[in-house]
Amino acid sequence: MSIEVDAGDEFVRLAQNIGTKSRGHHNRNYVLPLTETMARLCGGEPGTHVLVRVPRPDAVPVVIRTWSEAQLLRSLRGVLPNVPQCLASTATATVLSYVEGEPLSAVCPDGKRVKQSWISAMVEILAQTAALGRKELPALPHDWPRYGSDSRGYLAALTQLADRQIRRPSWSVYGGLFSQLGVPEDVLAQMAEKAPVMAPRPCGLLHGDLHRDNIVLTTDSRVIAVDWELATYGDPLYDLATHLVRMRYPNKQHKAVIDSWAEAMESTVPAAAKGMEKDLPYYLDFERAQSVFPDVIRAARSLRQGSQRKRLWDGLLYKAEAAVWQALQVGAEPLGLRNVPSRAKVRDVLHRWQTAGSEEPGRPGERCPQARQPRVSLSRRLKAFRSAFSDAGAVAAIVMGGCAVLGAFQKGAGLDGAPAPDCSREHGNRHPVTERTG
């Protein structure tokens, strides 16, 4: 049984000392065998491998969240098959059972055709998930919108949640950047108001992030979904949309995936496929629109690496420019953007934004201004220069210090052309077009 323990620091210490580390956008993940101490706290067997997830303090809010992963997995234990178990949760870490196997991304990278047997297994997971209703799940947050089977209301609520949980928290830092890229502050609010009429579909549990990194092919030939931290409650058709976008199937496979999903739903939630031909594009548009925000933010953060070194800076700027331009191209139509900047313009905007300043590490939401030389008027510099020569008894000092005084005069007057120092710091991380978690 999952437990709450006051031993997070011990879990983190052990994970950092003996665990195999991997880094995601939101967590630092460590795989390690249970020690005697951890096994007593978790109720597991010593030596059994577990996954310890430690939230990253520098992570920015770029996803919609409903529950904590620990909270959801406790509810799913014994209800949904082949789901990782939450063994313990603390203020500083979550301990999950480790699924032995390879991620689908390791054997079938993005863009590569996916075997039909794997597709069938994944849509079956989505079908089983969608069959779970409110009674089997944790309580929704108190401010969560209530939409029942109102699909239009759900899409509008999703858009409002994206505005509240993604755009607003980051706007004080990145708002100027988005404005220069042609993305207005109220763009998601306008999109929510224009939500189209849609067919009613029953709500259920959604995985919310089923892509190649979050599918594990186990050593005993099972296909298991991991990383449930973005799971939510709503229209099952939205889960299909996020799956299609984030899996990066070849375009020719989309129809086969959609048909397989509809067939799987027929045995669990038949009404979930109602009106799918007309309504699926609306959810695809939303997914592409909201992805503009994490894509731009992550690209901008990546520029904090190596800005003092020209070769590294040029490479980072090229990658950031490509990611932002691609995100704008994909999201322009659903967001209703009128003037999408050229790639050269994107590069210029990113360069100017970065050199103007970046976030102060440890103080999210604030900007670190560029350091500048103090400005002193030219008349005051001349006065000081004349004063240095007024003491007839200080000839030796004048001879030795004359060059230094003149140099100070030139620099203060802005004649030396020295560049201002760069205050950008902290490493960012990769984000290719759509959200990847972990």
Side-chain angles (χ1 to χ4, degrees):
M1 183 176 188
S2 170
I3 56 173
E4 292 279 357
V5 296
D6 188 19
D9 291 340
E10 177 70 7
F11 282 149
V12 173
R13 184 185 65 80
L14 289 167
Q16 291 174 339
N17 287 342
I18 66 174
T20 301
K21 180 181 177 180
S22 64
R23 181 174 175 174
H25 288 307
H26 308 127
N27 303 286
R28 291 186 176 92
N29 302 307
Y30 303 86
V31 177
L32 66 155
L34 279 177
T35 64
E36 293 280 353
T37 301
M38 292 177 71
R40 284 196 299 271
L41 291 168
C42 298
E45 289 293 326
T48 302
H49 280 81
V50 295
L51 175 68
V52 178
R53 292 165 72 86
V54 181
R56 290 182 53 181
D58 62 338
V60 291
V62 291
V63 292
I64 298 173
R65 294 185 181 276
T66 308
W67 307 288
S68 71
E69 187 175 25
Q71 184 184 19
L72 176 65
L73 292 179
R74 291 191 192 101
S75 296
L76 296 184
R77 188 165 187 175
V79 175
L80 195 64
N82 298 322
V83 173
Q85 298 178 13
C86 177
L87 304 176
S89 63
T90 76
T92 54
T94 302
V95 183
L96 306 176
S97 61
Y98 178 65
V99 180
E100 298 280 356
E102 279 192 295
L104 179 59
S105 58
V107 296
C108 186
D110 287 347
K112 187 175 180 180
R113 187 176 182 86
V114 180
K115 291 197 301 187
Q116 182 59 45
S117 60
W118 292 338
I119 292 175
S120 298
M122 287 186 286
V123 297
E124 183 61 31
I125 290 170
L126 296 179
Q128 293 176 354
T129 300
L132 299 182
R134 290 276 300 278
K135 292 181 180 179
E136 293 96 346
L137 303 175
L140 290 170
H142 71 279
D143 60 344
W144 205 256
R146 303 295 190 262
Y147 15 71
S149 59
D150 176 11
S151 300
R152 179 188 183 278
Y154 177 66
L155 176 56
L158 267 181
T159 312
Q160 292 163 355
L161 287 167
D163 186 61
R164 186 165 73 236
Q165 294 192 19
I166 300 174
R167 185 199 63 80
R168 291 186 197 176
S170 301
W171 198 258
S172 62
V173 174
Y174 300 99
L177 175 60
F178 279 107
S179 296
Q180 292 179 62
L181 292 170
V183 182
E185 184 174 0
D186 63 348
V187 67
L188 289 175
Q190 290 185 16
M191 189 176 181
E193 291 177 359
K194 297 175 183 177
V197 175
M198 301 168 72
R201 282 174 291 273
C203 288
L205 175 65
L206 315 181
H207 181 280
D209 199 29
L210 195 67
H211 54 70
R212 298 180 197 231
D213 291 337
N214 291 341
I215 287 291
V216 175
L217 308 175
T218 69
T219 52
D220 57 354
S221 302
R222 290 176 297 154
V223 176
I224 294 182
V226 298
D227 199 344
W228 290 77
E229 65 177 339
L230 300 190
T232 188
Y233 179 78
D235 186 344
L237 194 58
Y238 175 55
D239 222 4
L240 173 61
T242 60
H243 178 67
L244 286 171
V245 172
R246 301 181 192 190
M247 272 289 292
R248 298 190 178 92
Y249 287 105
N251 289 335
K252 293 181 179 179
Q253 268 200 300
H254 280 204
K255 185 178 185 305
V257 175
I258 294 169
D259 291 345
S260 296
W261 179 87
E263 184 179 349
M265 284 294 173
E266 190 64 34
S267 61
T268 57
V269 191
K274 183 178 180 181
M276 61 179 292
E277 295 84 1
K278 171 178 165 291
D279 293 347
L280 179 59
Y282 299 138
Y283 283 123
L284 291 171
D285 280 350
F286 167 75
E287 177 64 14
R288 291 164 180 150
Q290 67 88 21
S291 290
V292 169
F293 292 91
D295 287 355
V296 171
I297 290 171
R298 287 207 169 100
R301 284 169 62 86
S302 74
L303 294 179
R304 288 178 299 180
Q305 300 182 66
S307 58
Q308 304 282 352
R309 300 165 57 187
K310 187 177 186 308
R311 182 177 298 179
L312 180 57
W313 163 254
D314 288 344
L316 290 170
L317 183 58
Y318 179 82
K319 290 180 181 179
E321 151 206 337
V324 170
W325 185 78
Q326 176 65 22
L328 291 173
Q329 291 294 310
V330 172
E333 185 175 347
L335 285 174
L337 305 183
R338 296 181 179 179
N339 299 309
V340 179
S342 66
R343 184 157 174 170
K345 175 66 172 177
V346 168
R347 182 183 182 88
D348 180 59
V349 167
L350 286 171
H351 184 270
R352 286 189 287 107
W353 183 84
Q354 170 63 11
T355 54
S358 62
E359 304 101 316
E360 179 71 30
R363 302 182 66 182
E366 298 184 9
R367 295 296 297 271
C368 172
Q370 193 83 353
R372 296 181 180 179
Q373 296 290 337
R375 298 187 64 85
V376 181
S377 68
L378 182 59
S379 62
R380 289 182 63 186
R381 292 286 177 180
L382 288 169
K383 184 177 179 181
F385 187 73
R386 287 194 301 267
S387 177
F389 283 88
S390 65
D391 186 355
V395 175
I398 293 171
V399 172
M400 297 180 65
C403 292
V405 173
L406 182 58
F409 165 71
Q410 290 175 326
K411 188 169 185 179
L415 302 178
D416 61 343
D422 191 338
C423 68
S424 60
R425 295 187 287 278
E426 184 185 353
H427 292 273
N429 49 57
R430 171 182 78 86
H431 176 61
V433 183
T434 56
E435 170 66 14
R436 291 297 177 101
T437 66

